Amino acid sequence: MRTHYCGTITSAQIDEEVTLYGWVDRRRDHGGVIFLDMRDREGIVQVVFDPDTEEHFQRADRVRSEYVLEIKGRVRARSDATINPNMLTGEIEILGKKLEILNSAATPPFQLDQHIEVGEDVRLKYRYIDLRRPEMLEKLKLRSRVTSSIRRFMDENGFLDIETPILTKATPEGARDYLVPSRTHEGKFFALPQSPQLFKQLLMVSGMDRYYQIAKCFRDEDLRADRQPEFTQIDIETSFMNDQQIMAITERMIQGLFKEVLDVDLGDFPHMPYAEAMSRFGSDKPDLRIPLELVDVDDLMRQVDFKVFNGPANDAKGRVAALKVTGGAQISRKQIDGYTKFVSIYGAKGLAWIKINDITAGIEGLQSPILKFMPEDIITQMMARLAVTDGDIVFFGADKTSIVNEALGALRVKVGEDQGLIKGDWAPLWVVDFPMFEENSEGNLTSLHHPFTAPACSPEALEKNPEQALSIAYDMVLNGTELGGGSVRIHQADMQQAVFRVLGISDEEAQEKFGFLLDALKYGAPPHGGLAFGLDRLVMLMTGAKSIRDVIAFPKTQSAACVMTDAPGLADNKQLRELNIRLREKPKAE
């Protein structure tokens, strides 16, 4: 029976007999004395075997890295010359008395060393070994502390932990559903939930009042560093609270979490309207640590005889914006070419720029290939508006508003990181007053959040002017990452039906897809709202990881595959017949 974890033994246990279980991190033979560094989830401790314990000394001589051992011994102080200040157990060592080899180990496919670079494909294939690395262990331990803290806060504030179904019905959440064929209902399918949205609303109708769940969610979508096909959501819903109260209680939860786990004081979270965030930063999740902002210059560019600028400037759906980078004139032409290629990812056709070498010299003190297309008085006005100084550079975006916002918003972050402009460690923010709808590529209106978000206007005003309608929605942002998003929900059937009509969902379709919700709203649904946090993103930020794959025990690759288990896999013909599924044959190559 274990008496201690390896990494928890200190000088307080000197002269105690201890029993340890763990893995051999390293073995060293120093002139007849064998040193074993024993590792478990709490850390490493040094164990010494000398020839006096002949049987166990011989066993210690046979072990290799990653062997699983049981060791019994006595804790003793290290000599002053051998103390290791870099280890929590560096003041002591274990004099080994007994060693049992519980299992041998093949040579690992990579060293469990934080200084060794290993390809992610290899790490994911042998994830059970990768997770032994102290760096990975610490990330998962912190994740556990995060969920414990959140559960404690929720419980203390009267929220009930309630599970909602995993097998459910497809819902329009903005991504593709994972479908599950039903064996007992021929030709029909369940869907894995993209979120517990409708069920948590029904719990409010049921009178549960305050609900939370740390829920698994599923989205069949293209992946990025912060996306996975299955992810974990901290789901919260409450009745009889308005948007300000919901934001206040969840802000308190995150403040307490950071203080408890990281000893970080986030302070109060400022509020910023969506329109202001898009105008100043080109993003609805701006990183406020970066002191760069977008400035509109449409009015000036309407007068320029340069189609690249005056076209978007005179287009109601266009935008011309400038991004001044203080001290950026030292950015090389090669770097500018790199930034031009970068913004093309977001649909930008190019990247205009002006370097300010000597502002007192007027146009002669500026450097740019676009100056010949612009009148001197317009340039003078623009330089004054941007408050440029010698050594600055100004980048320009001119296109559809959405393209300019995405391209310059992303460039703002990249330049800020490249030029070392990030100030401070943490910058929290609430983004509020989102539009109810946005226009898709076909010119149709879609929900910016989801169709159950309450508008800040009446049903009549909503249907009369949907493009101008704002929602009672809010996103929590930290360091340019959306931690969570939520809204006050629609709790009256006439408002929900009005939203459906704006979205082009007929009464018949609404009844077919959401009849259970519309029926529930007729039976005394209380005013309610909530918020959902992405647990994986939250832990990624708190640990400083670059990808959420580093804070998930067994993640999928960017192609939504598990290289360790080789999933997804094929189903045999018997299973397919039971599910009434026939696979289409691939056309043969000519």
Side-chain angles (χ1 to χ4, degrees), residues 229-511:
E230 56 178 310
F231 57 96
T232 306
Q233 194 164 283
I234 305 161
D235 208 45
I236 300 168
E237 197 80 4
T238 181
S239 299
F240 308 112
M241 292 178 73
N242 62 28
D243 54 329
Q244 299 299 320
Q245 293 166 327
I246 294 169
M247 284 189 280
I249 196 168
T250 51
E251 180 177 320
R252 214 157 35 86
M253 181 185 80
I254 296 298
Q255 288 169 330
L257 172 67
F258 271 73
K259 187 64 179 175
E260 177 183 338
V261 176
L262 298 182
D263 195 25
V264 166
D265 184 0
L266 289 178
D268 294 330
F269 294 23
H271 290 207
M272 181 181 294
Y274 170 89
E276 180 183 342
M278 298 304 293
S279 174
R280 293 174 58 192
F281 306 107
S283 171
D284 60 359
K285 44 182 182 293
D287 189 341
L288 298 186
R289 299 173 303 162
I290 300 171
L292 302 177
E293 295 192 20
L294 279 58
V295 177
D296 282 313
V297 291
D298 305 75
D299 56 324
L300 298 175
M301 295 306 179
R302 291 189 191 107
Q303 309 167 47
V304 172
D305 188 20
F306 184 32
K307 193 173 181 180
V308 170
F309 282 164
N310 68 27
N314 287 289
D315 183 348
K317 295 183 178 181
R319 184 183 188 190
V320 184
L323 177 69
K324 180 186 75 172
V325 181
T326 303
Q330 44 78 32
I331 295 174
S332 70
R333 185 59 190 266
K334 182 179 179 181
Q335 287 174 295
I336 293 174
D337 290 343
Y339 289 143
T340 303
K341 186 176 181 181
F342 174 77
V343 297
S344 70
I345 298 170
Y346 303 92
K349 301 179 184 69
L351 183 64
W353 53 273
I354 298 176
K355 287 187 177 183
I356 294 83
N357 297 323
D358 182 1
I359 192 65
T360 60
I363 197 167
E364 298 299 324
L366 307 179
Q367 176 187 349
S368 172
I370 68 169
L371 293 174
K372 59 188 175 184
F373 301 109
M374 302 173 68
E376 189 169 347
D377 63 322
I378 296 296
I379 295 172
T380 301
Q381 292 179 62
M382 186 164 56
M383 295 298 104
R385 178 176 299 182
L386 297 171
V388 299
T389 57
D390 292 350
D392 294 348
I393 190 172
V394 180
F395 293 108
F396 296 91
D399 211 309
K400 295 294 184 185
T401 299
S402 59
I403 292 176
V404 171
N405 287 343
E406 276 204 70
L408 284 191
L411 181 65
R412 170 184 174 270
V413 174
K414 183 165 180 57
V415 171
E417 292 173 346
D418 290 350
Q419 301 301 311
L421 301 177
I422 294 176
K423 297 181 179 179
D425 296 321
W426 304 101
L429 173 71
W430 283 108
V431 178
V432 298
D433 298 336
F434 285 83
M436 269 296 291
F437 308 105
E438 61 182 345
E439 195 176 285
N440 64 17
S441 57
E442 287 83 39
N444 299 318
L445 292 180
T446 60
S447 297
L448 191 67
H449 276 77
H450 55 64
F452 317 109
T453 299
C457 61
S458 68
E460 295 76 21
L462 178 76
E463 293 194 75
K464 184 178 180 181
N465 199 356
E467 294 87 352
Q468 301 301 316
L470 298 180
S471 62
I472 312 175
Y474 33 83
D475 282 2
M476 183 186 287
V477 176
L478 183 62
N479 293 2
T481 296
E482 179 194 328
L483 285 188
S487 67
V488 171
R489 321 301 186 191
I490 297 169
H491 71 285
Q492 294 172 322
D494 61 339
M495 178 64 87
Q496 187 65 74
Q497 289 166 328
V499 170
F500 286 157
R501 284 194 292 272
V502 170
L503 293 172
I505 300 173
S506 67
D507 291 345
E508 294 75 17
E509 185 183 356
Q511 192 62 38

Side-chain angles (χ1 to χ4, degrees), residues 88-133:
L88 292 174
T89 60
E91 295 181 348
I92 58 91
E93 63 186 11
I94 311 297
L95 178 60
K97 299 295 185 183
K98 178 182 177 183
L99 184 154
E100 294 292 338
I101 298 175
L102 304 180
N103 210 344
S104 60
T107 302
F110 51 85
Q111 288 182 255
L112 306 187
D113 190 317
Q114 62 181 340
H115 303 297
I116 301 295
E117 288 291 331
V118 182
E120 189 179 55
D121 55 339
V122 177
R123 289 177 52 209
L124 294 182
K125 182 174 178 62
Y126 299 96
R127 189 62 161 183
Y128 43 86
I129 295 176
D130 186 42
L131 292 178
R132 294 181 192 173
R133 294 191 300 128

Side-chain angles (χ1 to χ4, degrees), residues 43-181:
I44 294 175
V45 69
Q46 178 173 281
V47 183
V48 182
F49 281 93
D50 58 40
D52 292 346
T53 55
E54 183 176 351
E55 176 188 356
H56 301 288
F57 179 82
Q58 290 176 356
R59 287 182 189 164
D61 190 45
R62 295 204 312 268
V63 305
R64 296 295 180 267
S65 293
E66 303 310 310
Y67 273 40
V68 186
L69 307 181
E70 175 193 4
I71 285 179
K72 295 185 178 181
R74 180 174 59 83
V75 182
R76 69 182 185 186
R78 293 195 194 192
S79 66
D80 291 343
T82 60
I83 287 176
N84 185 347
N86 298 318
M87 292 175 62
L88 292 174
T89 60
E91 295 181 348
I92 58 91
E93 63 186 11
I94 311 297
L95 178 60
K97 299 295 185 183
K98 178 182 177 183
L99 184 154
E100 294 292 338
I101 298 175
L102 304 180
N103 210 344
S104 60
T107 302
F110 51 85
Q111 288 182 255
L112 306 187
D113 190 317
Q114 62 181 340
H115 303 297
I116 301 295
E117 288 291 331
V118 182
E120 189 179 55
D121 55 339
V122 177
R123 289 177 52 209
L124 294 182
K125 182 174 178 62
Y126 299 96
R127 189 62 161 183
Y128 43 86
I129 295 176
D130 186 42
L131 292 178
R132 294 181 192 173
R133 294 191 300 128
E135 175 189 356
M136 295 302 297
L137 272 169
E138 289 307 311
K139 287 183 171 67
L140 291 188
K141 284 165 64 178
L142 185 139
R143 182 182 176 119
S144 179
R145 291 176 63 197
V146 167
T147 55
S148 294
S149 175
I150 288 167
R151 289 187 188 280
R152 191 162 51 251
F153 180 91
M154 292 280 102
D155 294 342
E156 290 171 355
N157 283 274
F159 288 81
L160 303 178
D161 182 0
I162 304 174
E163 295 176 342
T164 53
I166 291 296
L167 293 177
T168 182
K169 190 176 182 179
T171 57
E173 290 273 353
R176 284 183 291 270
D177 290 304
Y178 278 100
L179 296 179
V180 180

